[in-house]
Amino acid sequence: MTIKPIKALSDNYIWIIEEGKEAVVVDPGEAKGVLDYLKEQQLDLTTILLTHNHDDHIGGVEEILEHYPKIAVYGPEETKPLADHILQEGNTFKLMGQDVQVFKTAGHTLGHISFLMGNQLFCGDALFSAGCGRVFTGDYQAQYEALQKFKGLNDEVKVYAAHEYTQTNLRFAQSMEPSNKEIAEALNQVQELRAEDVPTLPSTIKREKNINLFLKAETLEDFTTLRKARDAF
């Protein structure tokens, strides 16, 4: 199985999961890059996975379905009617021969979900490298609980977030903890990657435990204060 990013919009990644000639697309905010890639690689698209209902994650679904009308679309309740397989916390299903677990990871939206496929985590906007999504719902408790779920995953789980926010997130982290050597080293690495236009993702849960201040927050109050500071950064 291989997983590749397709750049979309200003800073989105649409993830393409490939097994042989079968393909699964995660959060297609645009259609053109996906359709072009599938055609170039002669892949058979079978499934779309949606984490939440923001347009930069679902904006390409209808056009993709025009070309692949028989595929399955999995997502939370908030992605209806685009999704025909509605998922919630605790659901599991098979994809490419692997078990996929569904976690509710709300806060960014009311019904945001994440998919754990083997050791690959597709977390939309619930978790970023060195960051997490804005709490548009105002439900900081829900977002904090989502982070605790991520923290409980195995260290080797790879994190396929949906945005290239790592550099800004690490700059914020360094402003909060200027003497933190791990954050400083991570920022240097990321700056080198971005200078070459190389994605900083996937990350891993182990790496995030070391550099992600939101995962490190020990209380809801600490998390809320941190998230509001990041909003203003």
Side-chain angles (χ1 to χ4, degrees), residues 4-116:
K4 297 177 181 176
I6 292 178
K7 296 178 182 178
L9 304 168
S10 61
D11 49 35
N12 281 67
Y13 289 133
I14 301 169
W15 296 104
I16 306 283
I17 310 166
E18 302 173 35
E19 183 66 53
K21 286 298 181 181
E22 181 183 354
V24 172
V25 175
V26 185
D27 283 353
E30 289 183 319
K32 186 179 186 304
V34 172
L35 294 171
D36 288 348
Y37 182 81
L38 294 172
K39 184 177 180 180
E40 289 166 6
Q41 302 299 317
Q42 298 182 322
L43 296 170
D44 180 25
L45 181 63
T46 63
T47 307
I48 293 175
L49 302 180
L50 302 175
T51 61
H52 64 293
N53 66 354
H54 285 167
D55 193 56
D56 62 327
H57 293 252
I58 64 172
V61 175
E62 289 185 344
E63 186 176 345
I64 292 171
L65 288 175
E66 291 175 6
H67 293 264
Y68 299 90
K70 296 182 179 180
I71 65 174
V73 182
Y74 291 84
E77 181 79 22
E78 66 185 37
T79 59
K80 290 173 69 176
L82 292 174
D84 55 4
H85 292 68
I86 303 303
L87 302 171
Q88 57 189 356
E89 171 85 20
N91 287 161
T92 61
F93 59 98
K94 286 277 191 183
L95 199 59
M96 293 178 164
Q98 296 202 44
D99 290 324
V100 181
Q101 300 177 55
V102 178
F103 300 92
K104 185 174 183 180
T105 49
H108 185 68
T109 67
L110 288 172
H112 194 298
I113 62 173
S114 297
F115 301 90
L116 182 64

Side-chain angles (χ1 to χ4, degrees), residues 118-138:
N119 277 333
Q120 332 296 327
L121 176 68
F122 299 94
C123 47
D125 288 356
L127 179 67
F128 299 127
S129 186
C132 71
R134 284 179 181 263
V135 186
F136 289 120
T137 62

